[in-house]
Every structure is written in structure tokens, then in C-alpha cells.
Amino acid sequence: QITLKESGPTLVKPTQTLTLTCTFSGFSLSTSGVGVGWIRQPPGKALEWLALIYWDDDKQYSPSLNSRLTITKDTSKNQVVLTMTNMDPVDTATYYCAHLDYVWGSSKNYFDYWGQGTLVTVSS
Amino acid sequence: DIQMTQSPSSLSTSVGDRVTITCRASQSISNYLNWYQQKSGKAPKLLIYAASTLQSGVPSRFSGSGSGTDFTLTISSLQPEDFATYYCQQSYSTPWTFGQGTKVEIK
């Protein structure tokens, strides 16, 4: 059974760097066809895709946030880490990590398991 | 970026009603379209992937259709547990993008 859980600070100050960890079980990020993504949701607003890391360490970032984001994986610890620099109050949101199931070159490409999310507030 | 536009943004409906939500992409995305359900305070749940394939364990009253730029999510007979917000999401090209959501409320 696949589970994911986000962890990190609940409050950060403007200009600080946010580091979030996604700890998962039930799958390995060294298995072909697997990835982990980060998605966020400001209070009362829609979902926004942030970044993806694939089993082969390929990484994709949202262009609007690309310069601020870094995603890495530690396969031995079953963890994926997202860092976001220069935090601003508009970055206040619930941050989710999710398991990606995909078949390269096909439309089978979706987030089928999600963590519970972690609310990060940016305020001085 | 590919823009995803859902309509309506919200709807009030009753148990037993048939509900249709539409999602339009700003360019063709073939069938690279997923639907998620999100209940208040909870993480999204995958309902349908590849435009029309029902995720395992999802009730058959949910169905999806469409290809290219126009897609629909249909709930054939709304149940009390279906009151939630629904999002479409394209996985055709990064950045993957979500629609703005459709909130299904009790009339």
C-alpha cells in the first residue's frame, strides 16, 4: 500500500528558504515508471503543479517558479525533498506530494496517491 | 503553458441528478487529461485518467470523455458523498496545469 507524508516548517519568514520532505512507502523511486511530484494549493484556490522527479532522476519544474525550486530524491531513505527559495506571503499554501504513475509516451500519466498535505504560512 | 478552463465554476444540484462538468484546453492535449475530486480539507483523489479510464475503486457512476481540447466529467446519479470540488489536469506537456475547479454543492 502506497503512502506519502509531507513534513517541514509550518511558518517561514519572507525571503527565507522552505525545505519540505516527502517520505513515502509502498514503492521505490528506483523503479521504472515511477515519479513523485509536488503540488500546492493556496487557501481557497486551485491546485498548482510545482515540480516532478522521475525514477531516473529526470526533473521537471514549473517555469514560473523554476529559478526558486530544487527537487531531489534519496532512494535509500524513500524521500523526496523540495526546496523553494525567497519565500513570499503569496507562497502561503498547502503543499502536497504525490506518487506519479506513468508509461513513457502514453497518456497514462497521473498522480494516483497523495499525501495529506502540509500548510505552510509565510509571514514575518 | 496550456490553460485549462472548467465550466461551470460551481453548481447547485440534488442527490440523484446527472451532473456534467466540462474542461477545455487552450491547445490540443490528445487524451492526456485527468480528473480529481477534492473534499474540503482533504487531498485530491484521482477519479479518471487518460480522459476516460476509471481509476480502480472509483464508482461507475463517474465517467469521462473527450479528446483534443474538449472534455467532460459526468456523474450519472449524484450521491451525497459526491459533493466536492472537481479538477481537471493536463499531463500532455509540462508545466502540468489544473483547471480552476468546479464546486458541486447541495441545492
Side-chain angles (χ1 to χ4, degrees), chain B residues 29-66:
Chain B
I29 57 170
S30 183
N31 67 334
Y32 286 66
L33 192 283
N34 306 316
W35 289 98
Y36 299 87
Q37 175 195 65
Q38 187 179 34
K39 296 183 179 178
S40 182
K42 301 295 186 182
K45 172 188 174 183
L46 177 68
L47 297 177
I48 288 169
Y49 64 90
S52 61
T53 303
L54 200 65
Q55 171 68 347
S56 176
V58 174
S60 60
R61 62 181 180 273
F62 291 92
S63 63
S65 65

mmCIF file of all heavy atoms in Angstrom, chain B residues 29-66:
data_model
loop_
_atom_site.group_PDB
_atom_site.id
_atom_site.type_symbol
_atom_site.label_atom_id
_atom_site.label_comp_id
_atom_site.label_asym_id
_atom_site.label_seq_id
_atom_site.Cartn_x
_atom_site.Cartn_y
_atom_site.Cartn_z
ATOM 1 N N ILE B 29 -4.525 18.409 -26.443
ATOM 2 C CA ILE B 29 -3.755 17.604 -25.493
ATOM 3 C C ILE B 29 -4.042 16.109 -25.693
ATOM 4 O O ILE B 29 -3.824 15.301 -24.783
ATOM 5 C CB ILE B 29 -4.028 18.010 -24.027
ATOM 6 C CG1 ILE B 29 -5.527 17.901 -23.694
ATOM 7 C CG2 ILE B 29 -3.531 19.429 -23.757
ATOM 8 C CD1 ILE B 29 -5.826 18.064 -22.200
ATOM 9 N N SER B 30 -4.561 15.768 -26.884
ATOM 10 C CA SER B 30 -4.932 14.370 -27.144
ATOM 11 C C SER B 30 -5.872 13.901 -26.033
ATOM 12 O O SER B 30 -6.885 14.533 -25.790
ATOM 13 C CB SER B 30 -3.671 13.522 -27.265
ATOM 14 O OG SER B 30 -3.994 12.186 -27.591
ATOM 15 N N ASN B 31 -5.514 12.816 -25.362
ATOM 16 C CA ASN B 31 -6.324 12.365 -24.230
ATOM 17 C C ASN B 31 -5.538 12.400 -22.922
ATOM 18 O O ASN B 31 -5.811 11.630 -21.999
ATOM 19 C CB ASN B 31 -6.872 10.962 -24.481
ATOM 20 C CG ASN B 31 -5.765 9.907 -24.516
ATOM 21 O OD1 ASN B 31 -4.628 10.218 -24.828
ATOM 22 N ND2 ASN B 31 -6.112 8.681 -24.191
ATOM 23 N N TYR B 32 -4.562 13.309 -22.829
ATOM 24 C CA TYR B 32 -3.728 13.441 -21.643
ATOM 25 C C TYR B 32 -4.460 14.284 -20.588
ATOM 26 O O TYR B 32 -4.010 15.377 -20.195
ATOM 27 C CB TYR B 32 -2.393 14.083 -21.985
ATOM 28 C CG TYR B 32 -1.427 13.170 -22.717
ATOM 29 C CD1 TYR B 32 -1.702 12.717 -24.006
ATOM 30 C CD2 TYR B 32 -0.233 12.781 -22.130
ATOM 31 C CE1 TYR B 32 -0.818 11.895 -24.680
ATOM 32 C CE2 TYR B 32 0.666 11.970 -22.786
ATOM 33 C CZ TYR B 32 0.374 11.530 -24.070
ATOM 34 O OH TYR B 32 1.260 10.727 -24.740
ATOM 35 N N LEU B 33 -5.567 13.767 -20.107
ATOM 36 C CA LEU B 33 -6.438 14.535 -19.237
ATOM 37 C C LEU B 33 -6.880 13.666 -18.066
ATOM 38 O O LEU B 33 -7.358 12.546 -18.257
ATOM 39 C CB LEU B 33 -7.667 15.028 -20.033
ATOM 40 C CG LEU B 33 -8.613 16.089 -19.455
ATOM 41 C CD1 LEU B 33 -9.563 15.527 -18.413
ATOM 42 C CD2 LEU B 33 -7.850 17.271 -18.885
ATOM 43 N N ASN B 34 -6.678 14.206 -16.865
ATOM 44 C CA ASN B 34 -7.062 13.511 -15.640
ATOM 45 C C ASN B 34 -8.088 14.335 -14.876
ATOM 46 O O ASN B 34 -8.104 15.559 -14.969
ATOM 47 C CB ASN B 34 -5.829 13.296 -14.752
ATOM 48 C CG ASN B 34 -4.701 12.588 -15.472
ATOM 49 O OD1 ASN B 34 -4.924 11.612 -16.194
ATOM 50 N ND2 ASN B 34 -3.486 13.082 -15.299
ATOM 51 N N TRP B 35 -8.921 13.640 -14.121
ATOM 52 C CA TRP B 35 -9.912 14.282 -13.261
ATOM 53 C C TRP B 35 -9.683 13.879 -11.805
ATOM 54 O O TRP B 35 -9.447 12.696 -11.508
ATOM 55 C CB TRP B 35 -11.327 13.874 -13.657
ATOM 56 C CG TRP B 35 -11.828 14.430 -14.952
ATOM 57 C CD1 TRP B 35 -11.853 13.819 -16.172
ATOM 58 C CD2 TRP B 35 -12.424 15.718 -15.145
ATOM 59 N NE1 TRP B 35 -12.406 14.644 -17.111
ATOM 60 C CE2 TRP B 35 -12.769 15.819 -16.507
ATOM 61 C CE3 TRP B 35 -12.699 16.807 -14.308
ATOM 62 C CZ2 TRP B 35 -13.370 16.949 -17.053
ATOM 63 C CZ3 TRP B 35 -13.292 17.930 -14.841
ATOM 64 C CH2 TRP B 35 -13.627 17.997 -16.202
ATOM 65 N N TYR B 36 -9.783 14.861 -10.929
ATOM 66 C CA TYR B 36 -9.612 14.627 -9.497
ATOM 67 C C TYR B 36 -10.816 15.182 -8.745
ATOM 68 O O TYR B 36 -11.421 16.179 -9.154
ATOM 69 C CB TYR B 36 -8.350 15.314 -8.964
ATOM 70 C CG TYR B 36 -7.064 14.827 -9.590
ATOM 71 C CD1 TYR B 36 -6.585 15.389 -10.767
ATOM 72 C CD2 TYR B 36 -6.336 13.791 -9.013
ATOM 73 C CE1 TYR B 36 -5.418 14.940 -11.353
ATOM 74 C CE2 TYR B 36 -5.153 13.338 -9.589
ATOM 75 C CZ TYR B 36 -4.704 13.922 -10.762
ATOM 76 O OH TYR B 36 -3.545 13.467 -11.346
ATOM 77 N N GLN B 37 -11.106 14.559 -7.616
ATOM 78 C CA GLN B 37 -12.131 15.021 -6.697
ATOM 79 C C GLN B 37 -11.446 15.454 -5.416
ATOM 80 O O GLN B 37 -10.573 14.748 -4.907
ATOM 81 C CB GLN B 37 -13.102 13.875 -6.385
ATOM 82 C CG GLN B 37 -14.159 14.193 -5.354
ATOM 83 C CD GLN B 37 -14.839 12.917 -4.846
ATOM 84 O OE1 GLN B 37 -14.217 12.072 -4.210
ATOM 85 N NE2 GLN B 37 -16.122 12.770 -5.149
ATOM 86 N N GLN B 38 -11.831 16.608 -4.895
ATOM 87 C CA GLN B 38 -11.262 17.067 -3.638
ATOM 88 C C GLN B 38 -12.367 17.471 -2.682
ATOM 89 O O GLN B 38 -13.158 18.365 -2.990
ATOM 90 C CB GLN B 38 -10.290 18.231 -3.846
ATOM 91 C CG GLN B 38 -9.554 18.623 -2.570
ATOM 92 C CD GLN B 38 -8.582 19.766 -2.769
ATOM 93 O OE1 GLN B 38 -8.815 20.665 -3.559
ATOM 94 N NE2 GLN B 38 -7.460 19.740 -2.032
ATOM 95 N N LYS B 39 -12.386 16.834 -1.532
ATOM 96 C CA LYS B 39 -13.319 17.217 -0.478
ATOM 97 C C LYS B 39 -12.621 18.197 0.456
ATOM 98 O O LYS B 39 -11.394 18.217 0.553
ATOM 99 C CB LYS B 39 -13.816 15.979 0.251
ATOM 100 C CG LYS B 39 -14.620 15.069 -0.675
ATOM 101 C CD LYS B 39 -15.193 13.868 0.028
ATOM 102 C CE LYS B 39 -15.991 13.026 -0.947
ATOM 103 N NZ LYS B 39 -16.552 11.805 -0.328
ATOM 104 N N SER B 40 -13.420 18.976 1.140
ATOM 105 C CA SER B 40 -12.909 20.052 1.967
ATOM 106 C C SER B 40 -11.873 19.560 2.977
ATOM 107 O O SER B 40 -12.130 18.614 3.735
ATOM 108 C CB SER B 40 -14.056 20.729 2.700
ATOM 109 O OG SER B 40 -13.593 21.809 3.464
ATOM 110 N N GLY B 41 -10.700 20.163 2.947
ATOM 111 C CA GLY B 41 -9.655 19.828 3.898
ATOM 112 C C GLY B 41 -8.905 18.546 3.597
ATOM 113 O O GLY B 41 -8.070 18.124 4.405
ATOM 114 N N LYS B 42 -9.183 17.941 2.456
ATOM 115 C CA LYS B 42 -8.556 16.671 2.091
ATOM 116 C C LYS B 42 -7.714 16.808 0.829
ATOM 117 O O LYS B 42 -7.846 17.755 0.075
ATOM 118 C CB LYS B 42 -9.624 15.596 1.867
ATOM 119 C CG LYS B 42 -10.511 15.331 3.066
ATOM 120 C CD LYS B 42 -9.727 14.746 4.229
ATOM 121 C CE LYS B 42 -10.635 14.355 5.373
ATOM 122 N NZ LYS B 42 -9.879 13.814 6.535
ATOM 123 N N ALA B 43 -6.849 15.817 0.627
ATOM 124 C CA ALA B 43 -6.058 15.779 -0.595
ATOM 125 C C ALA B 43 -6.940 15.375 -1.774
ATOM 126 O O ALA B 43 -7.961 14.697 -1.594
ATOM 127 C CB ALA B 43 -4.915 14.784 -0.447
ATOM 128 N N PRO B 44 -6.565 15.774 -2.969
ATOM 129 C CA PRO B 44 -7.306 15.322 -4.161
ATOM 130 C C PRO B 44 -7.240 13.810 -4.309
ATOM 131 O O PRO B 44 -6.292 13.162 -3.857
ATOM 132 C CB PRO B 44 -6.564 16.018 -5.312
ATOM 133 C CG PRO B 44 -5.924 17.215 -4.680
ATOM 134 C CD PRO B 44 -5.533 16.764 -3.302
ATOM 135 N N LYS B 45 -8.257 13.294 -4.972
ATOM 136 C CA LYS B 45 -8.354 11.862 -5.254
ATOM 137 C C LYS B 45 -8.523 11.688 -6.756
ATOM 138 O O LYS B 45 -9.368 12.331 -7.376
ATOM 139 C CB LYS B 45 -9.555 11.274 -4.518
ATOM 140 C CG LYS B 45 -9.879 9.836 -4.878
ATOM 141 C CD LYS B 45 -11.206 9.404 -4.241
ATOM 142 C CE LYS B 45 -11.628 8.022 -4.704
ATOM 143 N NZ LYS B 45 -12.946 7.636 -4.141
ATOM 144 N N LEU B 46 -7.729 10.794 -7.335
ATOM 145 C CA LEU B 46 -7.824 10.535 -8.768
ATOM 146 C C LEU B 46 -9.103 9.773 -9.087
ATOM 147 O O LEU B 46 -9.385 8.736 -8.483
ATOM 148 C CB LEU B 46 -6.618 9.717 -9.228
ATOM 149 C CG LEU B 46 -6.593 9.296 -10.697
ATOM 150 C CD1 LEU B 46 -6.419 10.517 -11.607
ATOM 151 C CD2 LEU B 46 -5.482 8.274 -10.944
ATOM 152 N N LEU B 47 -9.865 10.308 -10.033
ATOM 153 C CA LEU B 47 -11.095 9.642 -10.482
ATOM 154 C C LEU B 47 -10.903 8.963 -11.840
ATOM 155 O O LEU B 47 -11.272 7.802 -12.025
ATOM 156 C CB LEU B 47 -12.236 10.653 -10.613
ATOM 157 C CG LEU B 47 -12.715 11.378 -9.375
ATOM 158 C CD1 LEU B 47 -13.793 12.390 -9.766
ATOM 159 C CD2 LEU B 47 -13.239 10.397 -8.337
ATOM 160 N N ILE B 48 -10.385 9.727 -12.782
ATOM 161 C CA ILE B 48 -10.293 9.282 -14.170
ATOM 162 C C ILE B 48 -8.954 9.719 -14.738
ATOM 163 O O ILE B 48 -8.505 10.848 -14.485
ATOM 164 C CB ILE B 48 -11.454 9.872 -15.000
ATOM 165 C CG1 ILE B 48 -12.755 9.171 -14.611
ATOM 166 C CG2 ILE B 48 -11.207 9.753 -16.499
ATOM 167 C CD1 ILE B 48 -13.999 9.814 -15.155
ATOM 168 N N TYR B 49 -8.311 8.849 -15.505
ATOM 169 C CA TYR B 49 -7.087 9.227 -16.202
ATOM 170 C C TYR B 49 -7.218 8.896 -17.683
ATOM 171 O O TYR B 49 -8.120 8.155 -18.086
ATOM 172 C CB TYR B 49 -5.857 8.546 -15.588
ATOM 173 C CG TYR B 49 -5.829 7.035 -15.681
ATOM 174 C CD1 TYR B 49 -5.257 6.387 -16.763
ATOM 175 C CD2 TYR B 49 -6.370 6.253 -14.654
ATOM 176 C CE1 TYR B 49 -5.219 5.012 -16.841
ATOM 177 C CE2 TYR B 49 -6.344 4.867 -14.728
ATOM 178 C CZ TYR B 49 -5.756 4.253 -15.818
ATOM 179 O OH TYR B 49 -5.728 2.886 -15.892
ATOM 180 N N ALA B 50 -6.329 9.471 -18.453
ATOM 181 C CA ALA B 50 -6.371 9.303 -19.915
ATOM 182 C C ALA B 50 -7.766 9.601 -20.451
ATOM 183 O O ALA B 50 -8.275 8.882 -21.323
ATOM 184 C CB ALA B 50 -5.905 7.909 -20.309
ATOM 185 N N ALA B 51 -8.376 10.614 -19.918
ATOM 186 C CA ALA B 51 -9.670 11.169 -20.346
ATOM 187 C C ALA B 51 -10.883 10.312 -20.022
ATOM 188 O O ALA B 51 -11.953 10.847 -19.709
ATOM 189 C CB ALA B 51 -9.659 11.497 -21.836
ATOM 190 N N SER B 52 -10.734 8.984 -20.073
ATOM 191 C CA SER B 52 -11.930 8.151 -19.942
ATOM 192 C C SER B 52 -11.733 6.864 -19.153
ATOM 193 O O SER B 52 -12.679 6.078 -19.036
ATOM 194 C CB SER B 52 -12.457 7.796 -21.332
ATOM 195 O OG SER B 52 -11.482 7.072 -22.054
ATOM 196 N N THR B 53 -10.551 6.637 -18.616
ATOM 197 C CA THR B 53 -10.297 5.407 -17.878
ATOM 198 C C THR B 53 -10.558 5.616 -16.388
ATOM 199 O O THR B 53 -9.950 6.477 -15.755
ATOM 200 C CB THR B 53 -8.850 4.930 -18.084
ATOM 201 O OG1 THR B 53 -8.598 4.756 -19.484
ATOM 202 C CG2 THR B 53 -8.625 3.600 -17.365
ATOM 203 N N LEU B 54 -11.464 4.819 -15.878
ATOM 204 C CA LEU B 54 -11.853 4.933 -14.474
ATOM 205 C C LEU B 54 -10.754 4.346 -13.592
ATOM 206 O O LEU B 54 -10.316 3.209 -13.797
ATOM 207 C CB LEU B 54 -13.160 4.189 -14.253
ATOM 208 C CG LEU B 54 -14.003 4.539 -13.035
ATOM 209 C CD1 LEU B 54 -14.524 5.964 -13.123
ATOM 210 C CD2 LEU B 54 -15.169 3.558 -12.906
ATOM 211 N N GLN B 55 -10.318 5.123 -12.622
ATOM 212 C CA GLN B 55 -9.323 4.623 -11.678
ATOM 213 C C GLN B 55 -9.935 3.484 -10.853
ATOM 214 O O GLN B 55 -11.128 3.497 -10.524
ATOM 215 C CB GLN B 55 -8.844 5.752 -10.766
ATOM 216 C CG GLN B 55 -7.972 5.349 -9.596
ATOM 217 C CD GLN B 55 -6.583 4.834 -9.992
ATOM 218 O OE1 GLN B 55 -6.332 4.554 -11.158
ATOM 219 N NE2 GLN B 55 -5.689 4.741 -9.036
ATOM 220 N N SER B 56 -9.123 2.525 -10.511
ATOM 221 C CA SER B 56 -9.575 1.391 -9.717
ATOM 222 C C SER B 56 -10.244 1.857 -8.418
ATOM 223 O O SER B 56 -9.726 2.730 -7.722
ATOM 224 C CB SER B 56 -8.382 0.498 -9.372
ATOM 225 O OG SER B 56 -8.763 -0.548 -8.527
ATOM 226 N N GLY B 57 -11.402 1.287 -8.135
ATOM 227 C CA GLY B 57 -12.117 1.594 -6.907
ATOM 228 C C GLY B 57 -13.077 2.763 -6.999
ATOM 229 O O GLY B 57 -13.837 3.019 -6.063
ATOM 230 N N VAL B 58 -13.056 3.479 -8.106
ATOM 231 C CA VAL B 58 -13.963 4.625 -8.289
ATOM 232 C C VAL B 58 -15.311 4.107 -8.806
ATOM 233 O O VAL B 58 -15.342 3.305 -9.749
ATOM 234 C CB VAL B 58 -13.348 5.645 -9.267
ATOM 235 C CG1 VAL B 58 -14.341 6.759 -9.578
ATOM 236 C CG2 VAL B 58 -12.065 6.223 -8.674
ATOM 237 N N PRO B 59 -16.405 4.577 -8.220
ATOM 238 C CA PRO B 59 -17.727 4.080 -8.644
ATOM 239 C C PRO B 59 -18.013 4.329 -10.120
ATOM 240 O O PRO B 59 -17.579 5.343 -10.686
ATOM 241 C CB PRO B 59 -18.695 4.887 -7.766
ATOM 242 C CG PRO B 59 -17.896 5.272 -6.573
ATOM 243 C CD PRO B 59 -16.502 5.487 -7.076
ATOM 244 N N SER B 60 -18.763 3.439 -10.709
ATOM 245 C CA SER B 60 -19.033 3.503 -12.148
ATOM 246 C C SER B 60 -19.978 4.629 -12.533
ATOM 247 O O SER B 60 -20.187 4.879 -13.724
ATOM 248 C CB SER B 60 -19.587 2.168 -12.635
ATOM 249 O OG SER B 60 -20.786 1.865 -11.947
ATOM 250 N N ARG B 61 -20.556 5.332 -11.568
ATOM 251 C CA ARG B 61 -21.388 6.490 -11.909
ATOM 252 C C ARG B 61 -20.545 7.648 -12.442
ATOM 253 O O ARG B 61 -21.068 8.582 -13.028
ATOM 254 C CB ARG B 61 -22.222 6.956 -10.713
ATOM 255 C CG ARG B 61 -21.424 7.432 -9.516
ATOM 256 C CD ARG B 61 -22.360 7.846 -8.367
ATOM 257 N NE ARG B 61 -21.628 8.306 -7.187
ATOM 258 C CZ ARG B 61 -21.197 7.510 -6.239
ATOM 259 N NH1 ARG B 61 -21.442 6.194 -6.310
ATOM 260 N NH2 ARG B 61 -20.533 7.990 -5.191
ATOM 261 N N PHE B 62 -19.221 7.577 -12.221
ATOM 262 C CA PHE B 62 -18.318 8.569 -12.782
ATOM 263 C C PHE B 62 -17.848 8.104 -14.156
ATOM 264 O O PHE B 62 -17.486 6.934 -14.343
ATOM 265 C CB PHE B 62 -17.086 8.767 -11.890
ATOM 266 C CG PHE B 62 -17.382 9.428 -10.579
ATOM 267 C CD1 PHE B 62 -17.670 8.671 -9.452
ATOM 268 C CD2 PHE B 62 -17.378 10.816 -10.460
ATOM 269 C CE1 PHE B 62 -17.949 9.275 -8.230
ATOM 270 C CE2 PHE B 62 -17.643 11.429 -9.245
ATOM 271 C CZ PHE B 62 -17.938 10.661 -8.129
ATOM 272 N N SER B 63 -17.861 9.024 -15.117
ATOM 273 C CA SER B 63 -17.324 8.703 -16.428
ATOM 274 C C SER B 63 -16.699 9.951 -17.038
ATOM 275 O O SER B 63 -17.057 11.079 -16.689
ATOM 276 C CB SER B 63 -18.406 8.139 -17.349
ATOM 277 O OG SER B 63 -19.406 9.099 -17.586
ATOM 278 N N GLY B 64 -15.770 9.727 -17.942
ATOM 279 C CA GLY B 64 -15.104 10.829 -18.622
ATOM 280 C C GLY B 64 -15.073 10.593 -20.112
ATOM 281 O O GLY B 64 -15.070 9.450 -20.578
ATOM 282 N N SER B 65 -15.059 11.693 -20.857
ATOM 283 C CA SER B 65 -14.987 11.577 -22.302
ATOM 284 C C SER B 65 -14.266 12.792 -22.867
ATOM 285 O O SER B 65 -14.040 13.788 -22.165
ATOM 286 C CB SER B 65 -16.391 11.456 -22.907
ATOM 287 O OG SER B 65 -17.123 12.641 -22.680
ATOM 288 N N GLY B 66 -13.934 12.681 -24.141
ATOM 289 C CA GLY B 66 -13.324 13.802 -24.830
ATOM 290 C C GLY B 66 -11.943 13.495 -25.349
ATOM 291 O O GLY B 66 -11.305 12.514 -24.951
#
